[in-house]
Amino acid sequence: GVTLSGGEVMTTNMDFVETLVKKLHRIGITVTIDTCGFAPYENFKRLLPYVETFLYDIKAMDDEIHKKYIGVSNVMILENLEKLYQDGARIYIRIPVVKEVNGTKEQMEQVISYLKEKNIHPPQINLLPYHNTGAGKYGKLGQEYDGKELHAPTNEEMNGFVKLFQNAGFQNTKIGG
């Protein structure tokens, strides 16, 4: 299969992306789209018949937190998730977990409540602990890394988040992925 990711594929040249996924689909190669969901829904609709799975990020349920750390509102992102799910897309929810941003029991419970309220039952939920692997590259580029104050939750906290999801009926939740 082929995974389209990097930056945000759903906001690139959609004519090219649609042509590519159609050709891949036609020759039997599965396509996965890795997306933050911040794109016009029409773009998702164009690709839906040819995409096997969407890897879909939920970074923060609180819109103000989302704006502060991501720079945009999460309203369109959540609306797109709901529409994609209603339109029958196979969606794996991915939650990058940053201790200082969304790495609390309350934040995880907000995601769980949202998924239950919207009746979204993804085949897989991946909790992705924060890492600063790319931090060293900033200095090489003459830039300062703004994430110095951010940390991954502990293994114990991450396992607790998995249990929260599993106890809420999302048995398919795991760390990593």
Side-chain angles (χ1 to χ4, degrees):
V2 171
T3 300
L4 302 178
S5 67
E8 177 51 62
V9 71
M10 298 306 296
T11 60
T12 60
N13 180 334
M14 290 307 295
D15 291 334
F16 171 78
V17 174
E18 183 179 19
T19 300
L20 175 64
V21 299
K22 280 181 176 179
K23 285 182 180 181
L24 291 168
H25 181 77
R26 191 172 25 246
I27 61 174
I29 296 174
T30 61
V31 176
T32 297
I33 301 283
D34 187 349
T35 181
C36 72
F38 191 73
Y41 189 69
E42 302 80 54
N43 294 359
F44 290 94
K45 198 81 165 156
R46 286 174 70 173
L47 304 185
L48 187 57
Y50 315 104
V51 173
E52 168 111 358
T53 306
F54 288 89
L55 306 177
Y56 203 101
D57 289 358
I58 295 180
K59 295 184 174 115
M61 291 305 303
D62 182 289
D63 195 46
E64 292 307 311
I65 290 173
H66 202 277
K67 286 177 192 173
K68 177 180 177 181
Y69 288 99
I70 309 304
V72 297
S73 170
N74 66 1
V75 172
M76 177 174 37
I77 294 165
L78 297 175
E79 287 175 353
N80 284 345
L81 174 59
E82 294 163 28
K83 290 174 187 174
L84 262 178
Y85 191 77
Q86 291 167 359
D87 285 346
R90 180 177 181 209
I91 303 168
Y92 289 3
I93 301 291
R94 297 162 47 95
I95 305 171
V97 185
V98 182
K99 189 174 191 118
E100 295 80 7
V101 178
N102 64 351
T104 66
K105 179 181 178 190
E106 294 74 27
Q107 292 289 327
M108 293 299 137
E109 287 173 338
Q110 286 180 15
V111 176
I112 291 166
S113 293
Y114 166 79
L115 293 174
K116 290 179 108 175
E117 175 188 322
K118 300 300 180 179
N119 201 27
I120 297 173
H121 299 282
Q124 189 168 302
I125 298 175
N126 299 94
L127 303 180
L128 310 172
Y130 172 77
H131 64 79
N132 64 353
T133 306
K137 294 179 183 178
Y138 282 77
K140 292 176 183 176
L141 296 170
Q143 298 178 356
E144 187 170 332
Y145 180 63
D146 291 334
K148 291 177 188 166
E149 303 301 319
L150 303 177
H151 303 89
T154 65
N155 288 338
E156 183 180 328
E157 289 169 319
M158 290 298 294
N159 286 321
F161 298 151
V162 169
K163 291 255 187 270
L164 280 176
F165 278 89
Q166 289 176 342
N167 290 341
F170 299 99
Q171 298 302 315
N172 50 357
T173 303
K174 65 180 186 172
I175 298 170

